[in-house]
Amino acid sequence: MTDEKATLSVGDKSIELPMYSGSAGPDVIDVRSLVQEGVFTYDPGFVSTAACESKITYIDGANGVLLHRGYKIEDLAENSDYLEVCYLLLNGELPTAEENQKFHQTIKNHTMLHDQMRNFFQGFRRDAHPMAIMCGVVGALSAFYHDSMDVADEHEREITAHRLVAKMPTIAAWCYKYSIGQPFMYPRNDLSYAENFLQMMFGVPCEEYKPNPVLAKAMDKIFILHADHEQNASTSTVRLAGSTGANPYACIASGIAALWGPAHGGANEAVLDMLAEIGDESNIEKYIAKAKDKDDPFRLMGFGHRVYKNFDPRAKVMAETAHEVLSELGLENDPLLKIAQRLEKIALEDEYFVQRKLYPNVDFYSGLILKAIGIPTSMFTVIFALSRTIGWFSHWNEMVSGNYRIGRPRQLYTGPTTREYPTK
Ligand code: CMC
């Protein structure tokens, strides 16, 4: 608590509210007592509301800073691999060399899916969106692991974390294999996490798959850059679902559902659709005008962010990785990349975007990388979900291992008040 107090005047009443300082970021005003005063706060979209206390991730949107447990995202992307970042998010500290090796091995030991899981995949239509399949299959994991779902048991929670991190690539790749009618590929323990994902996506049982190290590194960076992002819509969904005591697999499935929307995880898919729709550099001006027209619902996908009002540090790393991947594959002159680069340049100089502090976000370049690797657009959000699972789990874990109450927002009611039921 700080020495400072906030004072709120409501009519002739003056209400004193305690304030707290975090280790970084704005102070918060504790409004919990307001309900006793007969008023609620009103904040649709949670623009000014801190819904929880957390030690995991910090974002300074004005300065383009993203820290996981205090470490800058750029440093983690440069020096760590995804599993090391998972360990950090989950446990609060970077692993020692020995802990790191053990964690990697543990994850490898959990990558296979229960064989009966195949039947779940086979229940879906072949043309089902892979997010629909992933949402269902992850929810279904709770039917397989009811031996380890005691929310209050720390050890069971740890096992669940390992299972989720290990199985998500297998589930994601199987969603794709099912949609194209190819056999499911089993995980290979001689490969790294990212290599193994590529192997399960693109390998076939009749020949040995040799992962390309540049593409595997790019894939790993995509996993790292999407691993966590503070109290975003899907993480808040997971926390809210978890606050009821729901099992972790159900909570992660709720996060996947929330991520699916085009304003959130669906944006990387939407970016590629948008670039394809623009089609040619000569059409860019027309689409910029559409984005600025308030009577047109069109928005520049991959631009803007609720929190970053300077630049998205993840977008910088993604842009560099995009160049590495495209040059490795000889696609430097890819027409969509050219449109993306030109669009970015024009938007960054345009008064409308400058004034509103709209910069490219992580999804602007991640879609181009995924497309170059050969991943279809419908799988983009699935890969985001795979990467974000550790973030969702870490937040859920933080919440259930402390004091928490069921999340139950209130409302400003504007509907009819009590009225008589008409006599018939
Ligand atoms: N294109 C055109 N105008 C925009 C855009 C855009 N992409 N984003 C925001 N604006 C305008 C908006 O119309 C508003 O203008 P005005 O003040 O004149 O009414 C102003 O900028 C503020 O926008 P907002 O909708 O109030 O901002 P928000 O914080 O509610 O929304 C956002 C943030 C990310 C949903 C939004 O910028 C957007 O829809 N972007 C495109 C979708 C996208 O790329 N999403 C991925 C986010 S990063 C990945 C993730 O974290 O999931």
Side-chain angles (χ1 to χ4, degrees):
M1 202 175 307
T2 62
D3 291 341
E4 231 179 315
K5 293 216 181 314
T7 311
L8 180 71
S9 300
V10 182
D12 54 5
K13 238 195 289 182
S14 169
I15 307 164
E16 230 178 48
L17 300 165
M19 291 183 66
Y20 311 117
S21 292
S23 47
D27 288 351
V28 300
I29 302 169
D30 183 345
V31 296
R32 279 177 291 183
S33 63
L34 282 183
V35 62
Q36 286 137 32
E37 308 289 344
V39 284
F40 298 143
T41 53
Y42 181 61
D43 184 17
F46 302 111
V47 181
S48 304
T49 297
C52 63
E53 182 190 327
S54 181
K55 293 181 169 53
I56 301 174
T57 290
Y58 173 69
I59 302 172
D60 175 350
N63 293 308
V65 173
L66 168 60
L67 307 178
H68 292 323
R69 304 285 193 182
Y71 295 104
K72 282 195 204 130
I73 190 67
E74 297 90 330
D75 292 344
L76 292 171
E78 178 71 28
N79 302 305
S80 286
D81 68 4
Y82 175 68
L83 286 186
E84 193 176 53
V85 174
C86 289
Y87 185 99
L88 172 71
L89 288 168
L90 199 55
N91 299 297
E93 297 296 333
L94 284 169
T96 61
E98 196 185 323
E99 286 165 341
N100 203 19
Q101 195 270 335
K102 191 169 163 225
F103 187 68
H104 278 69
Q105 194 52 46
T106 305
I107 297 302
K108 278 185 181 164
N109 289 344
H110 284 285
T111 47
M112 281 199 301
L113 296 182
H114 191 291
D115 212 43
Q116 237 179 304
M117 276 264 138
R118 285 170 166 274
N119 302 337
F120 276 89
F121 284 88
Q122 264 131 22
F124 286 96
R125 283 172 57 127
R126 291 275 174 192
D127 61 357
H129 195 287
M131 280 297 277
I133 303 180
M134 181 178 243
C135 210
V137 169
V138 171
L141 288 175
S142 48
F144 286 80
Y145 300 112
H146 40 80
D147 60 326
S148 59
M149 286 196 316
D150 180 356
V151 170
D153 185 317
E154 193 181 341
H155 180 58
E156 292 194 13
R157 292 202 304 270
E158 189 185 24
I159 296 173
T160 302
H162 295 161
R163 283 186 171 140
L164 277 164
V165 171
K167 292 181 199 310
M168 285 303 272
T170 317
I171 292 173
W174 283 23
C175 289
Y176 174 57
K177 286 296 195 194
Y178 184 72
S179 73
I180 55 168
Q182 282 189 4
F184 296 137
M185 292 295 287
Y186 286 107
R188 261 176 53 194
N189 284 1
D190 59 319
L191 299 177
S192 73
Y193 192 84
E195 287 171 341
N196 194 31
F197 174 64
L198 291 175
Q199 180 270 138
M200 288 189 287
M201 283 287 295
F202 300 117
V204 284
C206 38
E207 54 190 58
E208 198 197 340
Y209 179 80
K210 289 206 175 63
N212 175 321
V214 176
L215 305 192
K217 192 166 155 234
M219 203 65 242
D220 200 62
K221 284 228 168 99
I222 289 181
F223 293 157
I224 293 175
L225 295 177
H226 289 86
D228 190 40
H229 212 231
E230 209 227 55
Q231 313 305 328
N232 56 82
S234 55
T235 303
S236 297
T237 303
V238 171
R239 278 189 181 258
L240 197 55
S243 77
T244 68
N247 78 69
Y249 299 106
C251 295
I252 299 297
S254 76
I256 296 171
L259 186 76
W260 197 350
H264 193 8
N268 51 13
E269 184 176 342
V271 169
L272 260 272
D273 292 344
M274 176 190 76
L275 294 176
E277 191 183 316
I278 295 176
D280 191 89
E281 286 184 55
S282 62
N283 293 326
I284 290 176
E285 293 292 353
K286 189 175 98 195
Y287 279 87
I288 295 263
K290 269 165 78 66
K292 289 165 28 178
D293 179 357
K294 293 291 163 205
D295 295 327
D296 190 322
F298 177 80
R299 282 189 165 198
L300 272 198
M301 285 296 149
F303 269 78
H305 199 275
R306 169 61 62 80
V307 183
Y308 295 118
K309 300 298 175 197
N310 186 332
F311 65 93
D312 179 343
R314 304 168 301 171
K316 275 193 168 175
V317 181
M318 274 293 76
E320 283 162 24
T321 309
H323 286 287
E324 280 164 28
V325 167
L326 293 166
S327 96
E328 167 71 14
L329 298 173
L331 295 172
E332 296 98 326
N333 292 321
D334 181 71
L336 291 193
L337 177 70
K338 292 275 167 239
I339 296 174
Q341 284 171 328
R342 185 96 192 101
L343 184 67
E344 182 184 10
K345 191 168 182 307
I346 295 176
L348 286 178
E349 287 164 1
D350 189 292
E351 191 52 25
Y352 173 95
F353 292 89
V354 173
Q355 227 179 38
R356 288 169 182 74
K357 301 188 188 316
L358 300 170
Y359 296 90
N361 57 50
V362 64
D363 289 327
F364 190 67
Y365 278 105
S366 65
L368 281 171
I369 300 174
L370 293 172
K371 178 175 179 285
I373 291 177
I375 292 171
T377 46
S378 62
M379 281 294 292
F380 289 5
T381 319
V382 167
I383 288 169
F384 193 159
L386 178 178
S387 324
R388 184 57 57 84
T389 294
I390 188 59
W392 290 329
F393 188 89
S394 301
H395 282 272
W396 172 84
N397 196 41
E398 179 178 66
M399 181 183 71
V400 300
S401 51
N403 288 326
Y404 65 104
R405 299 180 76 182
I406 185 168
R408 179 39 172 108
R410 305 306 292 257
Q411 62 174 2
L412 170 66
Y413 179 68
T414 52
T417 53
T418 313
R419 45 183 168 163
E420 290 300 317
Y421 187 79
T423 46
K424 292 198 173 125

